[in-house]
């Protein structure tokens, strides 16, 4: 029985360890390679090899480099004017099957681009089981060595696909493989009307590189992270959230009418709620926009709001961006009306805002951290007063890594390591670094000088870098004496190096009047954010970005002692940086308000089943221990 108790305790312990926030759709994007197999693909690729042989090798390299969970499909077109076949449906990646099907392709006949594009639009998978579909990227990657030869209008088809309802998220990127000027002009228009980019490949090696990069870009799309939840139009019946990460859809922005979504949470005496919202959008080339979201904390059963903000960002032409916002509120911190002073059940409201009202919903990521009251504030170190000098960072040998287009699921970087990624204008990437109390993040970004080919691709546009550090609840916490353009350097003829740092994470930093110090007042995953953009429509060029991270300070220094009677856990535990404490009768979560509301299980939360199981295990373990003691006493007698 004692062995049984230990075995069950092991199972219970595994349940009680908080799981990190999961992506609502674990694979960010879907890519369909639409490959030209017309008769002209028999011709030379410029190196003595046929174009179709070069394409076979290029696709082989793409699937070899793709992650195991990538969703990549293959459709070919060529022969008669209605000859197009789905060779590999979009689904779990089977590298051997892709290579086998590609090896069997034989060039012949005409080039029905328009017809193939229309068929390709139906090849994408809908989200299984419904739920939040989000801003998932669907990329048609068209490879052609010539123009349409069947009388169709592929430019009009591309524009139609971009306009159509759910296909609004379908982008058409185009690679012209040794094309002449007439074909290039048509293919560029297909990419432009399809919301994508055009790039040339003059030989097989260039085709392999361009194809791999375009595929990576398609797979890097926004992947919302969190537990799906459905907010309500008003506070009545709003879902009750425990600390964690959530995903929902906001109704379309109708201009003057901005319908919102509401969520409830319980705030114990003296506790502080941190609420963050992130909204992602992408824009086709030639259509920059401003996107945003309104975020408010509403008081229990009273009009008005306790805290409110509007998160906005400029969405670059042809690129992706996040609007991020954060509000926080402490029970008992005081308010003009007194409605926000008491502990109780508070509400979150989020609404959709943009300068271009849209007919489709907008996906948001919502995070909630509820920090219990600290009982030893006066004994904690005072807030930082300035960043101070940052010791130089020496890069090491870089390791290739793919940053995420999503805030919540970026790769976790290790202290002292150097990484490299490749970005194109209009892209941004996120990388996570865990920081605990007393730790400070410093980082360095290195970019090479622009080549003659880069400057030609820019066509007179100025290439810029934006980079910063974002705290767990969203705000920028990059320290130092920064001018408005200090974190937006222009890239040019010389290599560029940018360095930045936070102050050490400390509880009393929240008392500071300086934003970058005040917001470094809670441990968790800090995001290093890097974005490339231009002052004109985004051209295609690949820019290697090298990133070195250095975590300094003593982990755990200055950690507060929390008074946590409701068993919320510390901010580190709520974010998955440390296991939640084993629940006890006094630490079993209970709502502050008496009105019962069914709550979804949040990421990192403790489900009721786990609490019940832990209680049963405790009783079983106690019984087993008592039995063992009795047996030993009998043997001793």
């Amino acid at each position: 029985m004692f062995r049984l108790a230990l075995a069950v305790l092991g199972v219970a312990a595994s349940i009680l360890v908080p799981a990190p926030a999961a992506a609502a759709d674990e694979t960010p994007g879907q890519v369909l390679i639409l490959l030209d197999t017309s008769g002209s693909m028999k011709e030379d690729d410029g190196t003595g090899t046929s174009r179709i042989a070069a394409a076979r090798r290029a696709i082989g390299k793409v699937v070899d480099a793709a992650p195991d969970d990538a969703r990549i499909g293959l459709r070919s077109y060529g022969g008669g004017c209605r000859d197009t076949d789905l060779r590999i449906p979009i689904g779990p990646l089977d590298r051997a099957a892709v290579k086998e099907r590609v090896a069997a392709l034989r060039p012949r006949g005409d080039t029905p681009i328009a017809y193939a594009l229309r068929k390709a639009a139906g090849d994408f998978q809908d989200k299984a089981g419904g739920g939040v579909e989000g801003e998932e990227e669907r990329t048609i990657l068209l490879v052609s060595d010539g123009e349409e030869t069947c009388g169709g209008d592929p430019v009009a088809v591309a524009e139609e696909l971009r306009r159509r309802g759910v296909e609004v998220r379908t982008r058409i990127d185009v690679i012209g493989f040794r094309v002449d000027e007439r074909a290039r002009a048509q293919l560029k228009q297909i990419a432009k009307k399809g919301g994508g980019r055009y790039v040339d490949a003059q030989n097989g090696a260039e085709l392999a590189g361009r194809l791999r990069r375009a595929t990576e870009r398609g797979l890097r799309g926004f992947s919302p992270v969190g537990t799906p939840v459905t907010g309500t139009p008003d506070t009545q019946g709003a879902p009750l959230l425990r600390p964690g990460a959530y995903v929902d859809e906001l109704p379309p922005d109708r201009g003057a009418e901005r319908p919102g979504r509401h969520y409830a949470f319980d705030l114990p005496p003296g506790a502080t709620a941190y609420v963050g919202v992130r909204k992602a959008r992408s824009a086709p080339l030639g259509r920059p926009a401003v996107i945003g979201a309104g975020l408010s904390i509403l008081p229990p059963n009273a009009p008005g709001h306790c805290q409110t903000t509007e998160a906005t960002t400029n969405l670059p032409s042809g690129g992706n961006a996040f609007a991020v916002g954060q509000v926080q509120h402490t029970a008992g911190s005081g308010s003009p009306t007194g409605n926000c002073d008491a502990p109780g059940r508070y509400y979150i409201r989020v609404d959709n805002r943009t300068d271009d009202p849209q007919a489709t919903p907008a996906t948001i990521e919502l995070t909630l951290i509820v920090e219990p009251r600290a009982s030893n504030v006066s004994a904690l170190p005072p807030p930082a007063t300035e960043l101070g000098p940052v010791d130089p960072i020496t890069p090491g040998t870089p390791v290739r890594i793919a940053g995420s287009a999503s805030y919540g699921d970026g790769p976790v970087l290790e202290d002292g390591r150097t990484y490299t990624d490749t970005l194109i204008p209009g892209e941004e990437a996120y990388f996570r670094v865990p920081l605990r109390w007393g730790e400070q993040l410093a980082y360095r970004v290195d970019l090479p000088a622009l080549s003659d080919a880069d400057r030609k691709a820019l066509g007179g546009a100025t290439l810029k870098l934006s980079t910063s550090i974002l705290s767990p609840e969203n705000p920028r916490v990059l320290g130092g004496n920064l001018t408005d353009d200090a974190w937006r350097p222009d890239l040019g003829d010389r290599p560029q190096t940018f360095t930045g740092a936070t102050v050490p994470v400390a509880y009393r930093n929240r008392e500071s009047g300086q934003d970058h110090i005040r917001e470094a007042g809670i441990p968790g995953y800090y995001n290093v954010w890097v974005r490339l953009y231009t002052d004109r429509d985004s051209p295609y060029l690949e820019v290697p970005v090298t990133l070195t991270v250095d975590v300094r300070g003593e982990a755990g220094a200055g950690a507060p002692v929390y008074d946590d009677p409701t068993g919320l856990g510390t901010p580190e535990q709520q974010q998955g940086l440390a296991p939640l404490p084993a629940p006890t009768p006094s630490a079993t979560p209970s709502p502050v308000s008496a009105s019962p509301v069914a709550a979804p299980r949040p990421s990192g939360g403790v489900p009721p089943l786990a609490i019940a199981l832990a209680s049963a295990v405790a009783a079983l373990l106690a019984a087993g221990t008592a039995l063992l003691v009795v047996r030993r006493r009998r043997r001793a007698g």
Side-chain angles (χ1 to χ4, degrees):
M1 183 173 181
F2 185 64
R3 291 176 181 172
L4 175 62
L6 288 178
V8 177
L9 181 61
V11 174
S14 67
I15 294 175
L16 295 174
V17 174
D25 186 338
E26 293 183 357
T27 307
Q30 301 182 48
V31 174
L32 181 76
I33 299 174
L34 186 56
L35 179 64
D36 185 353
T37 56
S38 63
S40 57
M41 289 290 284
K42 297 177 183 177
E43 297 178 11
D44 193 288
D45 77 334
T47 65
T49 301
S50 69
R51 297 176 186 178
I52 191 65
R56 292 187 190 115
R57 285 198 299 270
I59 292 174
K61 291 180 179 180
V62 166
V63 298
D64 284 341
D68 291 339
D69 60 354
R71 289 179 293 177
I72 301 174
L74 173 67
R75 174 178 284 275
S76 65
Y77 65 98
C81 287
R82 289 184 176 270
D83 280 345
T84 176
D85 295 293
L86 181 61
R87 305 290 181 173
I88 298 289
I90 295 174
L93 181 60
D94 185 337
R95 294 180 175 86
V98 173
K99 293 177 182 179
E100 180 182 346
R101 302 288 173 83
V102 171
L105 296 176
R106 297 292 182 268
R108 63 188 183 88
D110 289 315
T111 311
I113 298 176
Y115 183 74
L117 280 173
R118 198 177 295 279
K119 298 294 287 186
D123 292 338
F124 293 99
Q125 295 179 329
D126 291 329
K127 189 173 180 66
V132 177
E133 187 169 280
E135 296 297 310
E136 178 188 64
E137 288 287 353
R138 299 177 174 190
T139 302
I140 296 174
L141 181 47
L142 173 65
V143 180
S144 181
D145 72 343
E147 61 183 320
E148 167 79 36
T149 62
C150 287
D153 187 347
V155 177
V157 173
E159 186 173 20
E160 175 191 339
L161 295 181
R162 190 66 181 177
R163 285 199 314 261
R164 276 167 44 185
V166 69
E167 275 81 23
V168 72
R169 286 181 293 274
T170 300
R171 179 181 68 232
I172 303 174
D173 288 332
V174 183
I175 300 177
F177 189 19
R178 294 186 64 80
V179 296
D180 58 26
E181 285 301 324
R182 181 171 171 174
R184 181 179 292 109
Q186 184 184 71
L187 295 175
K188 281 185 173 181
Q189 284 299 307
I190 293 172
K192 181 176 181 180
K193 296 299 183 181
R197 286 180 170 81
Y198 173 83
V199 61
D200 278 306
Q202 295 301 329
N203 53 53
E206 286 190 5
L207 177 64
R210 302 286 192 264
L211 192 60
R212 176 174 173 176
R213 183 68 193 95
T215 304
E216 288 177 349
R217 178 175 180 251
L219 295 174
R220 199 203 289 259
F222 168 57
S223 176
V225 174
T227 300
V229 65
T230 302
T232 52
D234 51 42
T235 58
Q236 185 174 3
L240 177 63
L241 308 184
R242 283 185 56 82
Y246 298 88
V247 178
D248 198 1
E249 281 190 343
L250 294 180
D253 180 5
R254 304 297 188 186
E257 177 191 355
R258 285 175 171 162
R261 286 289 178 260
H262 295 79
Y263 317 87
F265 68 94
D266 288 335
L267 193 60
T272 300
Y274 300 86
V275 182
V277 66
R278 297 183 290 275
K279 172 187 167 186
R281 277 287 182 186
S282 59
L285 289 172
R287 286 178 54 190
V290 177
I291 63 168
L295 174 64
S296 301
I297 293 179
L298 311 181
N301 305 315
H305 57 259
C306 305
Q307 307 290 339
T308 188
T309 189
E310 181 176 11
T312 61
T313 191
N314 293 318
L315 184 60
S317 165
N320 304 311
F322 276 95
V324 297
Q326 178 263 347
V327 290
Q328 66 184 69
H329 182 69
T330 301
S333 59
S335 65
T337 63
N339 294 334
C340 302
D341 291 346
R345 182 151 297 172
Y346 285 73
Y347 298 91
I348 302 165
R349 174 184 167 86
V350 186
D351 59 66
N352 193 4
R353 303 184 185 186
T354 175
D355 67 350
D356 180 21
Q358 296 162 340
T360 56
T363 298
I364 60 165
E365 296 173 299
L366 188 68
T367 56
L368 173 65
I369 300 171
V370 181
E371 183 183 34
R373 175 169 51 194
S375 60
N376 65 332
V377 176
S378 61
L380 296 176
T385 56
E386 59 182 356
L387 176 62
V390 177
D391 293 336
I393 301 172
T394 303
T397 302
V399 176
R400 181 167 175 78
I401 195 171
S404 174
S406 299
Y407 189 98
D409 71 342
V412 177
L413 307 186
E414 297 180 20
D415 177 26
R417 299 290 299 275
T418 298
Y419 302 88
T420 184
D421 195 1
T422 301
L423 299 181
I424 62 177
E427 277 192 318
E428 60 182 28
Y430 292 85
F431 309 87
R432 293 186 296 163
V433 181
L435 290 185
R436 293 167 174 81
W437 295 114
E439 291 186 324
Q440 172 188 25
L441 171 61
Y443 78 115
R444 167 175 170 160
V445 177
D446 290 281
L447 298 103
L450 296 180
S451 66
D452 291 340
D454 292 335
R455 285 190 290 271
K456 181 178 179 181
L458 284 169
T462 300
L463 183 62
K464 292 177 175 288
L465 166 76
S466 291
T467 180
S468 190
I469 302 173
L470 305 175
S471 74
E473 69 276 14
N474 298 337
R476 185 161 61 95
V477 292
L478 190 66
N481 296 319
L482 299 177
T483 64
D484 288 342
D485 292 325
W487 55 292
R488 298 187 183 97
D490 294 349
L491 307 183
D493 296 335
R494 292 181 297 176
Q496 294 274 2
T497 296
F498 177 86
T499 58
T502 69
V503 297
V505 177
Y507 183 90
R508 292 183 61 187
N509 281 346
R510 63 195 69 188
E511 301 171 12
S512 174
Q514 302 181 67
D515 290 346
H516 71 277
I517 294 177
R518 182 174 60 252
E519 303 299 350
I522 191 170
Y525 284 105
Y526 283 67
N527 271 265
V528 175
W529 166 69
V530 182
R531 173 179 168 189
L532 283 181
Y533 65 103
T534 68
D535 56 355
R536 303 183 192 176
D537 282 356
S538 297
Y540 186 95
L541 67 152
E542 300 176 5
V543 181
V545 178
T546 302
L547 175 65
T548 306
V549 294
D550 187 5
V551 177
R552 302 166 178 182
E554 180 184 351
V561 176
Y562 288 111
D563 179 13
D564 186 20
T566 60
L568 290 168
T570 68
E572 290 169 296
Q573 291 168 334
Q574 292 177 23
Q575 297 174 78
L577 293 181
L580 284 167
T584 63
S586 62
T588 301
S590 59
V592 176
S593 172
S595 57
V597 180
R601 177 185 173 185
S603 304
V606 182
L609 175 61
I611 296 172
L613 182 58
S615 300
V617 167
L620 185 59
L621 183 58
T625 303
L627 179 60
L628 183 62
V629 170
V630 169
R631 286 180 175 174
R632 285 179 175 172
R633 285 178 177 173
R634 286 177 178 172
R635 288 173 183 169

